[in-house]
Amino acid sequence: MKLTMASSPHNHSQKSVSTLMITVMCACIPGILTQAYFFGFGVLIQLIIALVTATLVEAVILKLRNRPILSTLNDGSAWLTAVLLAISIPPLAPWWITVIGIVFAIGMVKQLYGGLGFNIFNPAMGAYVLLLISFPVQMTSWIPVEQLLGAPIALTDQFSLIFTHTNSAGLTLDNVRTSIDGTTMATPLDAVKTAVSQSFTVSEAMKGAQFSDYAGIGWQWVNVAYLLGGIYLIKTKVINWHIPVSLIATLAICSAIGYIVSPGTQAGSMFHLFSGATMLGAFFIATDPVSACTTNKGRLIFGAAIGLLIYLIRHFGGYPDAVAFAVLLMNMAVPLIEHYTQPRTYGHGAKK
């Protein structure tokens, strides 16, 4: 008998790693299509750039490491990283933003640690934080949803803005954004945070055109779409329920308490749950089988801690959408959580 030792992800289902990765990417499709509907085809352009770059970077690094290229690429992990990063980037961000992010995610966060199963951080979120800190202007250049635009940006103009930084009329993205009268280009989370810092109440901030009854127009439906995709992943047993449920429940409880204590300065649970990348983070990012906890008790603690950090950073920190920071901080705590939540060996500690 030969004992085979393997690193995470430990797959206890009968599905291969490539099948799991493809299933997760398929579950992202409703959210991706919803994003494209509300924010334009730039979402799909960024996705193509990311997928092509991830394939090339992974192949080059595997060649340099003398590792098999086709079999490793076919596991789909690089493509899933590309998908998660691409849908986190503003649709009309310059093409090189996506390229830099993918190079860092695949080359540094994943392959530098040894490849799939050895990285301690989520590659997509590691790259997202790098981009957000290094290029804050480009990473916060979101435009309003298309229904708030006086004239939707044509596909050719979106393509031109991404690759040449100007549209067919010679206007830059900043020119396009500032030409939209009466509509703030900040995301709903950022708009509320800025309004509160200027002594406005949350209810006053949410009277803006980009808000609906519960969250931002477009953003709430994007979160609903990723929620549906996440439920599908749980139903097909691709992910466990522990992390997303504990994350969502903790964020809902913390935001509800905050709203009860100070309704003028803190938004309610529905706003937090259906704004930003909450559902994407809960079902597709925090559940990464490599960088997350593997025990059920550890998953509950891991998810709850991420939910708490998201609330604290959103309310007290400088970055409105805190999912990436919360996930990376808890990635560092995984070994400690695993140490104290490992199930006891059968018979261990029993009295003789």
Side-chain angles (χ1 to χ4, degrees):
M1 295 293 291
K2 182 179 179 182
L3 177 64
T4 301
M5 302 296 291
S7 61
S8 59
H10 303 294
N11 178 18
H12 297 289
S13 71
Q14 299 303 312
K15 298 178 181 178
S16 65
V17 173
S18 60
T19 301
L20 293 173
M21 297 295 176
I22 292 173
T23 304
V24 175
M25 286 187 279
C26 289
C28 287
I29 291 176
I32 294 172
L33 294 178
T34 306
Q35 277 188 247
Y37 174 79
F38 284 106
F39 296 101
F41 288 102
V43 174
L44 304 180
I45 297 173
Q46 298 290 356
L47 187 61
I48 294 172
I49 296 172
L51 288 170
V52 172
T53 305
T55 302
L56 294 176
V57 172
E58 181 100 326
V60 169
I61 295 178
L62 290 172
K63 178 67 175 179
L64 294 175
R65 296 181 61 202
N66 294 319
R67 297 296 179 88
I69 297 176
L70 290 180
S71 60
T72 304
L73 281 173
N74 286 335
D75 67 22
S77 59
W79 298 330
L80 179 57
T81 296
V83 170
L84 295 177
L85 181 60
I87 59 182
S88 302
I89 292 175
L92 299 183
W95 63 271
W96 48 266
I97 287 287
T98 303
V99 171
I100 292 174
I102 293 298
V103 170
F104 184 80
I106 302 297
M108 301 296 290
V109 186
K110 180 186 176 185
Q111 290 294 341
L112 187 63
Y113 285 91
L116 179 65
F118 297 95
N119 50 284
I120 61 175
F121 296 106
N122 183 290
M125 293 301 96
Y128 179 85
V129 168
L130 169 78
L131 294 174
L132 185 61
I133 294 174
S134 303
F135 310 103
V137 175
Q138 290 80 4
M139 288 296 291
T140 55
S141 297
W142 289 86
I143 61 173
V145 296
E146 288 205 343
Q147 68 188 81
L148 295 179
L149 297 175
I153 304 174
L155 174 59
T156 54
D157 282 338
Q158 293 184 50
F159 190 89
S160 181
L161 284 167
I162 292 172
F163 287 98
T164 68
H165 312 309
T166 59
N167 63 8
S168 56
L171 299 176
T172 65
L173 179 58
D174 286 338
N175 298 141
V176 173
R177 294 171 72 236
T178 55
S179 65
I180 306 172
D181 296 332
T183 304
T184 175
M185 272 58 68
T187 63
L189 284 167
D190 190 36
V192 168
K193 191 175 186 65
T194 301
V196 170
S197 68
Q198 296 174 346
S199 300
F200 291 98
T201 65
V202 172
S203 59
E204 290 173 337
M206 293 185 65
K207 291 179 181 178
Q210 76 270 38
F211 290 97
S212 63
D213 293 335
Y214 302 108
I217 295 177
W219 290 95
Q220 63 183 14
W221 294 112
V222 170
N223 275 276
V224 168
Y226 285 118
L227 171 61
L228 295 176
I231 293 174
Y232 170 76
L233 292 179
I234 294 177
K235 184 177 178 61
T236 55
K237 301 186 184 304
V238 172
I239 63 173
N240 298 96
W241 61 267
H242 304 78
I243 291 176
V245 170
S246 61
L247 189 159
I248 292 171
T250 303
L251 179 58
I253 292 171
C254 291
S255 54
I257 294 174
Y259 180 76
I260 292 172
V261 173
S262 180
T265 61
Q266 299 197 41
S269 297
M270 292 295 289
F271 177 78
H272 278 280
L273 294 181
F274 293 96
S275 294
T278 301
M279 295 302 170
L280 175 66
F283 290 98
F284 295 90
I285 295 172
T287 55
D288 175 22
V290 178
S291 57
C293 291
T294 57
T295 64
N296 287 338
K297 187 184 295 184
R299 287 168 178 153
L300 290 172
I301 297 172
F302 180 77
I306 292 176
L308 175 61
L309 285 172
I310 290 174
Y311 169 74
L312 292 176
I313 297 174
R314 282 181 176 180
H315 183 62
F316 298 104
Y319 294 95
D321 193 1
V323 172
F325 291 96
V327 169
L328 292 180
L329 287 172
M330 289 312 302
N331 285 161
M332 292 188 290
V334 165
L336 180 64
I337 297 174
E338 294 280 73
H339 176 74
Y340 287 104
T341 59
Q342 286 294 332
R344 186 182 296 272
T345 305
Y346 181 75
H348 177 76
K351 293 183 179 179
K352 296 182 179 179

